[in-house]
Amino acid sequence: MSFSVKILGSNASVPAHNRNQTSQLLTMMQVPFLIDCGEGTQVQLKKNKIKAQKIDYIFISHLHGDHYYGLIGLISSLHLYGRKKDLNIYGPPGLKEILAINLKHSQTALNYKINLTEWIYGEQQLLMETQNITVHSFPLNHRIPCSGFIFREKPKKRRIDRSKVIADIPPSKIISLKNGNDVFDQDGNLQYKNEDYTLDPAPSRAYAFCSDTKYDEAIIPYIHGVDILYHEATFMDNMTDRAAQTHHTTTIEAGLIAQKAQVNKLLIGHFSTRYKELLPMLAETKTIFENTELALEGYEFSID
């Protein structure tokens, strides 16, 4: 099943150098999740031929405008498109009030219901759970309450070894084998030994999104071993002091977090507008963590 992240915006603060503000679309088990919604996100969705009406889950990391100013526009557009199904939003304390004020003073009565869950800052929380997926928040170290998100597949069932299975095994017994059980006949005799007919489950995949944060090793236990880590890298290494003052991260620091967390791949983004060319930022990060890529708009990164 597909597991990929599409970059819709990668800039910090304001749009610049043909880069928009932070937003991503993560797709897991055919379910799309919108992560952050900077100004112009709905335009980016159209540009990338993504149907906004299919998005049922939105996650907002914090209340700095470059991460959520596109949300009220998207909500309003979904209303104008005639949306009827619920929209589930997970965001910081205060977001419910902000949305209510906007809708109140625009005299907008939405055609659909918004289910808004405000996460608790400073805690790891299970925000949502389906049959196959969990999404947790975890605290980041920024100037205002800010959370990262981890999207994980639940442990999978064992796989049937097609080279061993014979055609006359009933479907009910196939299911039992996939559940990890041995199969017995009606007299209690072992009929199919699980290890003879199944393979280990496919690995469960995980994606971690670390929005605005200063360098903080406290996040490592939350993100350890994920397949792809997105981590902000607002500045290059010669601006470490500026990064600390503004509660942001440098390229080298993002690489260190990825290295210490033993992730498979690192995506860096949230680029300061001072950088028109990004390849030097990539090269600097790679000196610490080789398997790094730029979170460039329009690019899609898949987890096999």
Side-chain angles (χ1 to χ4, degrees), residues 24 34 66 83 97 99 102 112 136 138 143 210 225 238 280:
Q24 302 180 2
L34 186 66
D66 53 333
R83 183 186 181 98
E97 178 185 7
L99 295 183
N102 275 272
Y112 61 93
H136 286 83
F138 62 94
R143 289 196 301 109
C210 292
N238 63 352

Side-chain angles (χ1 to χ4, degrees), residues 186-237:
Q186 59 186 6
D187 297 321
N189 300 310
L190 179 63
Q191 192 173 18
Y192 303 109
K193 189 172 179 59
N194 186 273
E195 64 183 34
D196 293 337
Y197 290 90
T198 65
L199 304 171
D200 288 339
S204 295
R205 299 165 290 184
Y207 176 70
F209 176 86
C210 292
S211 176
D212 295 14
T213 182
K214 69 187 299 184
Y215 180 80
D216 190 350
E217 294 183 6
I219 70 172
I220 290 174
Y222 301 119
I223 63 175
H224 187 269
V226 298
D227 296 274
I228 298 181
L229 165 67
Y230 168 84
H231 196 289
E232 72 129 287
T234 307
F235 300 105
M236 293 191 70
D237 187 55

Side-chain angles (χ1 to χ4, degrees), residues 94-105:
L95 183 57
K96 186 176 295 186
E97 178 185 7
I98 290 169
L99 295 183
I101 288 173
N102 275 272
L103 295 172
K104 174 184 176 181
H105 290 289

